[in-house]
Amino acid sequence: MHLAAHFPGVNNTTVWADPRSRSQIDFFSFEQLARTAERGKFDFFFLAEGLRLREHNGRVHDLDVVGRPESLTVLNALAAVTDRLGLAATVNATFNEPYELARRLATLDHLSAGRAAWNVVTSSDAFTGENFRRGGYLDRADRYTRAVEFVATARELWDSWTPDGESRPFAHEGPQFTISGEFTVPRSPQGHPVVIQAGDSDEGREFAASAADIIFTRHGTLEAGRTFYADVKARLAAYGREPGSLKIMPGVTVVVGDSDAEAQEKAAGIRRQQVSPQNAILTAEQIWGTDLSAYDPDGPLPEIDPVPDSEITRGRVRHGDPFAIVARWRALAEAKGLSLRQTVIETTTRQSFIGSPRTVAAELTSFVDERAADGFILVPHLTPSGLDDFVDLVVPLLQESGAFRSEYTGSTLRSHLGLPEPVWKG
């Protein structure tokens, strides 16, 4: 089993009202969560990214995180206070250039002695594009076209130094990039930093099969996970890859209690804090695409139809057909007698493992044994102490059963993941 720690930051699921909640920008918070993950022998520490403060109804989203430090800067600092933990940065392939980013990632790989990873994301969001010089965006269909060539170009740059330390000129000419010169950073300890792809779309799955080492996904049930796992692994053969060359790691939440019943009660309390009455209305507005402030969050769902192509929310992607989502919500609310807030709580939760330490350990192991995942990226609800219970109570049981390592056996992230060093293609 592989495990990673997600630093909660670019989301509105952190329970900021909890007295244990600390700053999301102080280095202390990053350091504490990373040290906890390394104490638990996790594979890597994962930072998300946000390139613009999201807006809702013309204002900065009240429940969004204000203040998002640049990922690679934070991880370079964490390299100095960790020894084995992988360091994964989310960096957008739409608003960066291959030479500059390949250089920054190779630098992190050197400074960390081979622990760097790049989570490749894309954007078709013109609102975010306004923050950048060209002020534009890519059509949705072109995002992955650029990303695929971006990753391939970065790998050409990393391969422009031989394993023996000799620099060779590079030249790349393609539809997205035409660059030539000499790369300034020698081949790094891993050869190439580990590449992560985040996404569940068909385009994202194909991109991951062709170019990624890890796919960061989400799925709600064991059966859905098995279906996703089988689909993505089956795509690898077309690119001459083996099933073990791509690790599937869904983002999950974990709530641990002394008993299963206590954990369920604890989890319900966390969800009520995450989905406050205000947040329930804001979430529903993102689906309906219109102002719902006149509605009672503890009352029934709005009877009006959603507004397609609404821009009430800017900087946040609307996932799926709003008419289909509203229909599902109404059917669920009617079947279970749920209010608007209760419906939001039930439909917006991430895959959760809830129970006693032994129950959680058994369920996590079952997902791996049943080929629904190769591991998990844990998304805690507290910064920076949200992993403490898991590392102290669940990890020892996973180690005892042989499902998870007791000690690191290598020094690089590739060694943690069981991935070979890339063959030099200079």
Side-chain angles (χ1 to χ4, degrees), residues 299-343:
L301 271 64
E303 296 180 356
I304 60 175
D305 289 332
V307 177
D309 302 321
S310 167
E311 292 191 357
I312 190 171
T313 296
R314 306 184 73 195
R316 182 188 295 273
V317 177
R318 293 178 78 186
H319 294 285
D321 175 9
F323 290 93
I325 296 173
V326 167
R328 288 198 300 272
W329 281 25
R330 286 174 175 158
L332 178 66
E334 182 177 353
K336 295 190 174 184
L338 302 178
S339 68
L340 172 58
R341 183 184 178 197
Q342 290 169 330
T343 303

Side-chain angles (χ1 to χ4, degrees), residues 136-421:
Y137 62 98
L138 292 177
D139 289 337
R140 189 171 184 84
D142 294 334
R143 293 180 307 146
Y144 283 112
T145 300
R146 177 182 171 91
V148 167
E149 187 176 338
F150 196 120
V151 173
T153 305
R155 285 182 164 143
E156 290 176 30
L157 295 168
W158 293 327
D159 276 343
S160 67
W161 282 72
T162 71
D164 296 330
E166 179 186 352
S167 172
R168 298 185 177 183
F170 67 83
H172 174 91
E173 184 171 352
Q176 299 291 324
F177 311 105
T178 300
I179 58 175
S180 62
E182 292 193 5
F183 197 53
T184 61
V185 185
R187 190 171 178 83
S188 65
Q190 295 187 107
H192 300 170
V194 169
V195 172
I196 306 170
Q197 152 65 13
D200 289 341
S201 68
D202 187 71
E203 292 171 308
R205 297 181 193 200
E206 200 65 28
F207 178 36
S210 69
D213 301 302
I214 301 169
I215 183 166
F216 176 32
T217 180
R218 61 189 305 165
H219 43 67
T221 65
L222 176 65
E223 192 54 43
R226 293 182 66 187
T227 300
F228 180 89
Y229 189 98
D231 175 71
V232 173
K233 296 283 187 174
R235 297 172 188 244
L236 293 168
Y239 300 97
R241 302 181 65 189
E242 298 295 325
S245 65
L246 176 64
K247 307 301 180 182
I248 296 176
M249 300 182 67
V252 301
T253 61
V254 174
V255 180
V256 182
D258 289 339
S259 66
D260 290 353
E262 180 187 300
Q264 289 290 345
E265 183 177 349
K266 186 177 176 181
I270 291 169
R271 287 300 291 151
R272 286 193 297 271
Q273 289 179 296
Q274 291 171 325
V275 185
S276 65
Q278 177 195 18
N279 198 2
I281 292 295
L282 291 173
T283 302
E285 287 178 341
Q286 293 168 18
I287 303 300
W288 265 267
T290 192
D291 187 342
L292 300 177
S293 58
Y295 286 82
D296 180 2
D298 294 316
L301 271 64
E303 296 180 356
I304 60 175
D305 289 332
V307 177
D309 302 321
S310 167
E311 292 191 357
I312 190 171
T313 296
R314 306 184 73 195
R316 182 188 295 273
V317 177
R318 293 178 78 186
H319 294 285
D321 175 9
F323 290 93
I325 296 173
V326 167
R328 288 198 300 272
W329 281 25
R330 286 174 175 158
L332 178 66
E334 182 177 353
K336 295 190 174 184
L338 302 178
S339 68
L340 172 58
R341 183 184 178 197
Q342 290 169 330
T343 303
V344 173
I345 288 173
E346 186 145 340
T347 57
T348 60
T349 185
R350 189 182 291 271
Q351 167 65 50
S352 298
F353 293 90
I354 303 167
S356 68
R358 197 161 297 279
T359 295
V360 169
E363 290 182 352
L364 291 170
T365 303
S366 175
F367 263 67
V368 175
D369 289 345
E370 294 289 328
R371 297 186 178 181
D374 293 310
F376 308 92
I377 297 177
L378 275 66
V379 185
H381 70 281
L382 283 179
T383 306
S385 60
L387 285 180
D388 291 358
D389 285 349
F390 184 86
V391 168
D392 293 337
L393 302 173
V394 179
V395 166
L397 296 176
L398 295 172
Q399 293 170 330
E400 182 182 287
S401 69
F404 187 62
R405 69 172 66 88
S406 295
E407 294 292 341
Y408 292 110
T409 56
S411 60
T412 69
L413 178 53
R414 287 188 177 276
S415 67
H416 303 342
L417 294 166
L419 298 171
E421 182 177 323

